[in-house]
Amino acid sequence: MRRRKANADRKRVAGFRQAFGVMRPYQAVLWWALLIGICAAGISTIQPIFVSRVVDEFSGGITIGLPMLIVCLLIVGAGLTGMKELLIERAGERFAYDTRVALVELIYNLPIPRLEKHDRADIVSRVTSDVTAARMLLTSGIIDLAVGGATVIVSVVMMATIDPLLLSLALVAVLVVAIAVYKLGEKARPIGLSMQDSIGTLAGHLSRAIGSIKTIRAARATKAEGLGAQEQAAAVRRAGLEAANLRAIIQATTGVAVQLLIVVVVGIGALRVSVGAVSTGDLAAFIMYLMLIVTPITMMATIVSTLGEAFGALSRILELQREPIEDPGPDQEAAAAVRPRLDSPALEFDTVSFAYSLTRASNQPVALTLDNVSFAAAPGAVTALVGPSGAGKTTVFSLIERFYDVTEGTIRIHGRDMGSMSRDEVRSRVAYVDQDAAALSGTIRDNLRLNAPSADDETCAQALWKVGLLAEHEQAREVLDRSVGELGSRLSGGERQRLAFARAILSQAEILLLDEVTSHLDGRNESAIQDVMRSGDDQTVLVIAHRLSTIADADRIILFDEGRIRDAGTHRELLGRSELYLSLARTQFITSDPD
């Protein structure tokens, strides 16, 4: 099983080809950084020549010119290195910003089915920690390797002019170390991906637990959930230990090899000096060039182990970027040119069928969530959808909002096929209050202006007053400035529902979808919501409610069961002819005409 997972990770993991692809927008800056880095490396390779002259001329006296020249070269080299690092760091910050902006835009436009298959915290970790890790490809990775490679090439050429024999010994050792580091580096990439995946899973577990902390504590499941989080943390630790072990092996291998190489070169070099094959100055220059070679190799060992995590993070970013965005639908201007039919229903379902999954594995038939559903909602009327849980009512609302597209059939808004309209146009004409009634972090004003950004405080206050969130003795500004907490944690369930309803009122949409909007309300507030539902003469309302008291006086009630429409009519009509509706009403003691 672990071998199969490792093979899958190798298929997912990104490499240098993908890294070069993400660097393309910053190639101008990176080329300048590379050029400046090579110039700095060139200056470093010149210094041993002058040091050699100083050493050889030491017995005859040293002129002030050579030491001053060496100092100037050091200062210029340091300045160029600083410029290179500044360019790389700025490019890294641009990469991080651009990538995060692109990922945020992608996430906000992912199709709902695609978004639901990802854990929310895992998505967040890709935007935050994964981008930070992938940034290392620019700031401490490929450019440094390229500059180091240029330094090695120049140094090898200069060493060849000093002593080919010493060079051949050095090159053999360097090549062995480089090959070993490269092979170990290949193992670092899947380990890095595994570690980033484990971190994302841990974030998802903690996010779920924190969001349900009251439920967990009430169920006395704190210890069990904590153990689950510890298991995920252990998975991160195992991946981290694998990466640490690999880094230790790489560092130990390069460290021992470099020390042995220096000892051998110094020893044999001393013998070469004693027989007059090279001068003391030449040996000093050769050792300096050797250090210029050794430094990139040691750096390569560090970079290779670091790039494993960076490549793993880049793999997860690219995986998310490959997700398709939601199809916006037909061009909005062209679609708007089609005039609605004024004599048609405000909303119409025509033989609509829908399945959440169209996969036909093992020749198994697809289970339809909605099966051949047809109904119409008259303009300005209140149409209620009722039925047992899982009957398909919320799916109807999801199709109207075009979170999903129908499998078969047609949905029309004022006679226009909704499939011929852009999603943005559909959502501008439909306001949706879902049963979760989520509130976004911020103030009450921020939540109200979510789909009505131009609404002033007076308009917002009127909407709050209609739903009972603003009392006569309260100051509107104080209420609007009140923080709702993370996901509305400072509001009760009923207050979140009424806030969501007020937001829908402000949208002034033609069609209002209310999903269990009174489930957390007391009788007084439920009555206030019913009055608001009835007050909009030009607004078509579709409401889902398990509490039949909410919809008993609706113009039309549609009874759903197992994805099909079983009956439709008024409350009185359904009580007289539908056993299913009568059983629903009896459980709530509503068996008489509301009038």
Side-chain angles (χ1 to χ4, degrees), residues 131-206:
V131 171
T132 300
R135 178 183 177 275
M136 291 187 294
L137 289 169
L138 277 72
T139 57
S140 59
I142 295 175
I143 296 297
D144 288 334
L145 284 176
V147 172
T151 304
V152 168
I153 292 172
V154 176
S155 297
V156 166
V157 172
M158 300 303 294
M159 291 165 74
T161 64
I162 296 172
D163 192 334
L165 177 60
L166 284 178
L167 174 62
S168 61
L169 291 173
L171 283 182
V172 170
V174 167
L175 286 175
V176 170
V177 173
I179 292 171
V181 169
Y182 178 77
K183 291 296 182 183
L184 290 171
E186 285 187 325
K187 296 182 179 180
R189 298 185 201 173
I191 292 175
L193 175 59
S194 177
M195 185 164 66
Q196 295 300 117
D197 280 340
S198 299
I199 291 172
T201 304
L202 174 61
H205 188 97
L206 289 174

Side-chain angles (χ1 to χ4, degrees), residues 7 50 80 177 184 345 365 394 404 491 518 524 551 570 572 595:
N7 291 334
F50 298 106
L80 290 175
V177 173
L184 290 171
T394 298
Y404 306 91
L491 303 177
T518 60
R524 185 184 65 179
I551 48 85
T570 63
R572 178 185 295 178
D595 296 333

Side-chain angles (χ1 to χ4, degrees), residues 41 112 115 128 137 206 229 240 266 380 486 504 520 594:
I112 295 297
L115 196 57
T128 53
L137 289 169
L206 289 174
V266 170
E486 185 177 7
H520 295 290

Side-chain angles (χ1 to χ4, degrees), residues 342-571:
L342 300 179
D343 59 343
S344 60
L347 180 72
E348 180 182 8
F349 272 54
D350 186 359
T351 61
V352 170
S353 296
F354 173 74
Y356 280 100
S357 174
L358 294 179
T359 304
R360 303 181 187 275
S362 305
N363 296 319
Q364 294 295 319
V366 173
L368 292 174
T369 306
L370 294 179
D371 187 5
N372 198 33
V373 169
S374 296
F375 71 88
V382 176
T383 302
L385 312 183
V386 301
S389 296
K393 306 181 295 295
T394 298
T395 301
V396 169
F397 280 13
S398 295
L399 293 178
I400 295 172
E401 276 283 355
R402 289 203 68 185
F403 295 149
Y404 306 91
D405 289 323
V406 300
T407 304
E408 294 178 2
T410 306
I411 302 176
R412 300 184 184 91
I413 294 180
H414 288 295
R416 289 178 57 192
D417 183 352
M418 202 166 68
S420 68
M421 304 165 65
S422 69
R423 293 180 195 271
D424 190 63
E425 182 186 359
V426 170
R427 292 165 187 168
S428 69
R429 303 176 70 172
V430 178
Y432 180 32
V433 181
D434 65 22
Q435 55 188 325
D436 295 329
L440 302 182
S441 300
T443 64
I444 288 179
R445 181 189 290 101
D446 295 334
N447 276 268
L448 290 174
R449 288 178 173 175
L450 186 63
N451 56 353
S454 60
D456 56 26
D457 282 2
E458 183 179 354
T459 306
C460 291
Q462 289 175 356
L464 291 177
W465 182 80
K466 287 180 180 179
V467 300
L469 280 178
L470 179 64
E472 292 184 1
H473 65 277
E474 290 182 303
Q475 294 292 325
R477 180 176 292 276
E478 292 180 2
V479 175
L480 291 171
D481 287 337
R482 187 180 303 161
S483 173
V484 302
E486 185 177 7
L487 299 178
S489 60
R490 296 181 183 177
L491 303 177
S492 67
E495 287 174 330
R496 286 197 298 272
Q497 284 186 320
R498 284 180 284 162
L499 178 59
F501 192 23
R503 184 168 59 224
I505 292 172
L506 282 177
S507 70
Q508 298 182 334
E510 302 171 20
I511 300 172
L512 184 59
L513 308 180
L514 307 177
D515 190 351
E516 296 288 357
V517 75
T518 60
S519 58
H520 295 290
L521 302 184
D522 56 26
R524 185 184 65 179
N525 284 313
E526 180 183 7
S527 177
I529 294 297
Q530 289 174 329
D531 292 340
V532 176
M533 287 166 50
R534 281 292 183 185
S535 63
D537 296 334
D538 298 329
Q539 194 170 52
T540 303
V541 178
L542 275 77
V543 56
I544 296 173
H546 284 102
R547 289 166 61 172
L548 298 187
S549 59
T550 302
I551 48 85
D553 61 347
D555 297 301
R556 191 161 184 253
I557 300 173
I558 302 173
L559 180 62
F560 279 80
D561 188 30
E562 296 181 346
R564 291 174 175 266
I565 294 179
R566 300 302 181 183
D567 208 338
T570 63
H571 175 69

